[in-house]
């Protein structure tokens, strides 16, 4: 991974729902910087407008786990912004001329993209025609191949099972360039920006909704493992809370499947057995962790009842 540029701190994390809190990042530079320097993974959830049903190769935005968002806020790396309120306030303050200017800029970008696409398409057509001429001796079916002003060229040779080439006799009719057929200019493509910053100013660090809500036991486990240098991703694929990686998941397999529990929480023995067998089946360790509450003086601070607390985890021997 190339070294990303450090963003200006703190940066905004966008909260997009009030009832079920979701925390999103839209800036690829921030996402790359967090992954490389702070072991923050998140989950990519964006799809392409043309194929929204695909769910394999996802892109921006990146959704943070509540534990990840809270950790960033506590370390003063980020602050929470209500996405809807920010958009409504800033859009209300913009005049018509500003909105038309950003629309014109997007149309200009789309026109450049369409022009580049047509230029590349024409280049591919010329290469395909040269390849056809080389194979057929500059003739196909006793007819000359027209000039490379075709919309798209197809290879007229078919490969047999034994690697021999069979030439089809076809009649190729010249057709006008796509841009010329549609008019003097190509129809501009639709460009969807990944951030609102070209139109809206970055949100200020005011009226923050506060710290993200998390489960105390799961956050304590997440924070402890993260402080040891592990990468943590959602563990729903393996039926646990977190999948724990010793390094970047692009380079390492996870070592542990983790589950958090309160100190006085009763854990069904069948859950432990099932978790252990699940971990063994996928070649990982099953790790249970929580916050230990001590009655005597020891590590950690005091809880609400005046008892001491310390981190403790139970895993495979």
């Amino acid at each position: 991974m190339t070294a990303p540029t450090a963003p200006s701190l703190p940066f905004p994390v966008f909260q997009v729902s009030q009832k079920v809190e979701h925390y999103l990042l839209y800036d690829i530079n921030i996402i790359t910087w967090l992954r490389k320097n702070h072991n923050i993974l998140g989950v990519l959830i964006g799809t392409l407008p043309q194929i929204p049903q695909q769910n394999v190769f996802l892109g921006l935005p990146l959704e943070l786990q509540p534990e990840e968002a809270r950790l960033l806020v506590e370390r003063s790396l980020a602050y929470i912004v209500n996405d809807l309120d920010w958009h409504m306030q800033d859009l209300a303050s913009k005049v018509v001329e500003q909105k038309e200017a950003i629309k014109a800029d997007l149309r200009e970008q789309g026109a450049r993209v369409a022009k580049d696409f047509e230029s590349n398409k024409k280049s591919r057509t010329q290469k395909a025609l040269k390849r056809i001429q080389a194979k057929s001796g500059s003739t196909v079916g006793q007819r000359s191949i027209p000039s490379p002003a075709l919309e798209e060229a197809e290879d007229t040779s078919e490969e047999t099972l034994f690697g021999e080439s069979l030439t089809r006799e076809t009649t190729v009719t010249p057709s006008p360039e796509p841009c010329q057929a549609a008019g003097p200019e190509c129809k501009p493509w639709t460009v969807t920006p990944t951030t609102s910053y070209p139109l809206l100013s970055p949100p200020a660090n005011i009226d923050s909704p506060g710290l993200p809500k998390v489960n105390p036991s799961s956050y304590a486990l997440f924070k402890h493992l993260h402080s040891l240098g592990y990468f943590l991703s959602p563990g729903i694929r393996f039926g646990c809370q977190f999948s724990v990686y010793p390094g970047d998941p692009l380079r390492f397999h996870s070592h542990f499947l983790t589950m958090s529990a309160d100190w006085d929480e009763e854990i069904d023995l069948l859950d432990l057995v099932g978790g252990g067998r699940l971990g063994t089946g996928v070649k990982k360790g099953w790790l249970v962790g929580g916050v230990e509450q001590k009655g005597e003086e020891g590590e950690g601070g005091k809880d609400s009842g005046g008892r001491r607390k310390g981190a403790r985890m139970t895993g495979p021997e």
Side-chain angles (χ1 to χ4, degrees):
M1 182 184 296
T2 57
T5 304
S8 57
L9 302 177
F11 54 83
V13 174
F14 297 94
Q15 178 182 337
V16 296
S17 177
Q18 294 289 352
K19 296 182 179 179
V20 181
E21 297 180 356
H22 296 277
Y23 303 96
L24 304 182
L25 291 175
Y26 296 90
D27 194 328
I28 186 61
N29 295 321
I30 294 177
I31 294 171
T32 307
W33 181 77
L34 286 177
R35 187 183 186 104
K36 182 174 180 61
N37 296 280
H38 294 278
N39 300 1
I40 298 297
L41 299 175
V43 179
L44 292 170
I45 62 173
T47 60
L48 297 175
Q50 291 84 358
I51 45 175
Q53 72 277 7
Q54 63 93 15
N55 58 2
V56 179
F57 300 104
L58 302 178
L60 297 178
L62 180 96
E63 182 174 357
L64 296 173
Q65 300 179 74
E67 291 82 5
E68 292 174 325
R70 186 182 182 100
L71 184 67
L72 293 176
V73 174
E74 288 185 351
R75 293 186 175 181
S76 300
L77 297 175
Y79 58 94
I80 305 300
V81 174
N82 188 296
D83 197 23
L84 178 60
D85 293 344
W86 169 60
H87 271 83
M88 296 304 295
Q89 292 174 5
D90 269 27
L91 286 175
S93 64
K94 301 300 178 183
V95 296
V96 177
E97 289 77 9
Q98 291 173 311
K99 297 179 181 179
E100 292 299 326
I102 190 64
K103 290 181 181 179
D105 182 65
L106 292 177
R107 286 194 295 268
E108 183 180 351
Q109 294 182 35
R112 290 198 300 267
V113 173
K115 184 178 180 180
D116 292 342
F117 175 80
E118 294 298 338
S119 177
N120 294 334
K121 189 175 180 180
K122 183 177 180 180
S123 177
R124 292 196 303 269
T125 299
Q126 293 175 345
K127 292 180 180 179
L129 288 172
K130 290 180 180 179
R131 186 169 61 250
I132 294 173
Q133 291 174 352
K135 289 183 177 181
S136 59
S138 301
T139 58
V140 177
Q142 305 300 325
R143 300 192 61 169
S144 300
I145 296 179
S147 60
L150 304 177
E151 181 177 5
E152 187 173 355
E154 295 181 356
D155 192 353
T156 58
S157 63
E158 293 181 349
E159 296 293 328
T160 64
L161 292 175
F162 303 100
E164 299 176 353
S165 176
L166 298 178
T167 302
R168 296 177 298 175
E169 294 187 359
T170 58
T171 301
V172 183
T173 304
S175 61
E177 290 291 326
C179 292
Q180 297 175 354
E185 295 183 357
C186 296
K187 182 178 180 181
W189 287 25
T190 300
V191 177
T192 303
T194 58
T195 67
S196 302
Y197 294 163
L199 175 62
L200 307 179
S201 58
N205 186 9
I206 56 176
D207 300 330
S208 177
L211 293 173
K213 298 177 182 178
V214 295
N215 183 289
S217 61
S218 63
Y219 181 63
L221 178 60
F222 176 90
K223 190 174 182 179
H224 176 70
L225 292 173
H226 185 272
S227 66
L228 298 178
Y230 288 101
F231 287 72
L232 287 87
S233 69
I236 190 171
R237 288 178 56 193
F238 300 106
C240 59
Q241 286 181 317
F242 305 111
S243 296
V244 183
Y245 297 82
D248 194 298
L250 295 175
R251 300 178 58 193
F252 297 91
H253 289 288
S254 59
H255 283 190
F256 300 106
L257 309 179
T258 66
M259 181 188 73
S260 66
D262 294 327
W263 178 248
D264 56 354
E265 179 180 351
E266 294 185 0
I267 303 177
D268 195 325
L269 183 59
L270 291 178
D271 292 338
L272 292 178
V273 174
R277 291 191 174 186
L278 175 62
T280 302
V282 293
K283 299 181 181 179
K284 308 179 193 311
W286 177 258
L287 187 149
V288 179
V291 178
E292 180 181 5
Q293 299 176 354
K294 296 183 178 180
E296 301 176 356
E297 293 295 322
E299 291 187 12
K302 293 183 179 181
D303 61 7
S304 59
R307 294 172 294 182
R308 305 292 295 186
K309 299 193 299 183
R312 185 176 186 179
M313 295 188 300
T314 300
E317 294 295 335

